[in-house]
Amino acid sequence: GIQVEQSPPDLILQEGANSTLRCNFSDSVNNLQWFHQNPWGQLINLFYIPSGTKQNGRLSATTVATERYSLLYISSSQTTDSGVYFCAVERTTGNQFYFGTGTSLTVIP
Amino acid sequence: NAGVMQNPRHLVRRRGQEARLRCSPMKGHSHVYWYRQLPEEGLKFMVYLQKENIIDESGMPKERFSAEFPKEGPSILRIQQVVRGDSAAYFCASSPGVTGGYGQYFGPGTRLTVT
């Protein structure tokens, strides 16, 4: 299967700070999504971004498919941003998502 | 437009019992996917179904696990004779078509605890 690596594995931020999360993948993909799993375990869609750049409020994401990586930017972080951020990809020929191991983010006041 | 619904949200079973997890996809979605998340891990694909068809079950354990998505009603993930190692969060996702253009939308998950 496809390998999905996320970095850093853990991140602690002061409220108001900015951060960049990275997702590397080992093969061509036709779909990439970023999710936030909140402390209650719910998975929230952040971005559907197989290529290009998207922004939604304080969050933005960029995927460079030819170089097999995606970045998630969080600006002016808030305590509610805490949780685990997952990147998931779908291979060109398959239907299942392959999830990375996540970045655990803690934002402290 | 209601999102993906899963029930129950929490399920406790004793070893050897059966667990039935239900998933109702978003309105208009005909593709359902099941994933399992073990503690402190990412999600792992289990099975992909369309109405009355299993499309890909490459992630399903060979024994005790089965899934269906009937013409009417929710998708069901069934685990027979549960063991402690089955304790996990089980997520269902749905999409309106092959995910090349749509992405997958996830439900809140069912947390199974086997005692």
Side-chain angles (χ1 to χ4, degrees):
Chain A
I2 191 168
Q3 305 301 315
V4 182
E5 296 181 353
Q6 292 186 242
S7 60
D10 299 282
L11 186 58
I12 299 175
L13 295 177
Q14 199 77 39
E15 197 169 24
N18 303 328
S19 63
T20 301
L21 283 57
R22 187 177 180 101
C23 171
N24 292 334
F25 42 95
S26 61
D27 203 350
S28 300
V29 299
N30 73 344
N31 185 9
L32 185 147
Q33 287 184 248
W34 282 96
F35 298 91
H36 175 215
Q37 187 167 39
N38 64 23
W40 296 270
Q42 288 187 298
L43 272 174
I44 299 159
N45 281 2
L46 296 178
F47 293 102
Y48 165 74
I49 185 165
S51 63
T53 297
K54 289 186 178 179
Q55 179 152 9
N56 183 4
R58 296 181 297 104
L59 302 181
S60 64
T62 295
T63 297
V64 183
T66 53
E67 297 186 24
R68 299 181 183 170
Y69 73 89
S70 183
L71 302 173
L72 178 69
Y73 306 96
I74 305 174
S75 63
S76 304
S77 58
Q78 301 177 357
T79 56
T80 51
D81 294 332
S82 295
V84 182
Y85 289 80
F86 287 106
C87 162
V89 301
E90 179 193 15
R91 292 177 68 170
T92 303
T93 56
N95 297 300
Q96 61 170 284
F97 267 67
Y98 294 86
F99 277 76
T101 51
T103 291
S104 178
L105 173 66
T106 303
V107 181
I108 54 178
Chain B
N1 186 14
V4 177
M5 299 177 69
Q6 291 187 247
N7 67 81
R9 295 290 301 277
H10 300 273
L11 182 61
V12 179
R13 284 288 177 266
R14 289 199 180 99
R15 278 179 298 171
Q17 290 184 319
E18 178 179 286
R20 282 189 179 231
L21 288 61
R22 293 175 186 77
C23 169
S24 296
M26 284 182 72
K27 187 177 180 179
H29 287 195
S30 57
H31 298 239
V32 165
Y33 311 80
W34 286 94
Y35 294 82
R36 177 165 65 175
Q37 185 179 30
L38 295 171
E40 308 298 324
E41 293 188 10
L43 279 73
K44 296 284 194 320
F45 168 80
M46 299 181 75
V47 62
Y48 162 39
L49 309 105
Q50 296 177 24
K51 287 282 187 183
E52 300 184 283
N53 281 306
I54 297 175
I55 307 302
D56 179 356
E57 56 181 349
S58 58
M60 286 276 271
K62 293 287 186 282
E63 297 176 351
R64 302 187 297 107
F65 284 73
S66 63
E68 62 177 9
F69 188 17
K71 188 176 179 181
E72 302 290 337
S75 176
I76 306 284
L77 179 67
R78 182 182 178 205
I79 311 172
Q80 295 179 289
Q81 299 176 321
V82 295
V83 300
R84 289 228 173 103
D86 297 332
S87 295
Y90 292 83
F91 288 91
C92 167
S94 73
S95 74
V98 175
T99 57
Y102 304 100
Q104 295 183 14
Y105 295 82
F106 281 76
T110 293
R111 275 145 189 86
L112 173 65
T113 302
V114 179
T115 61

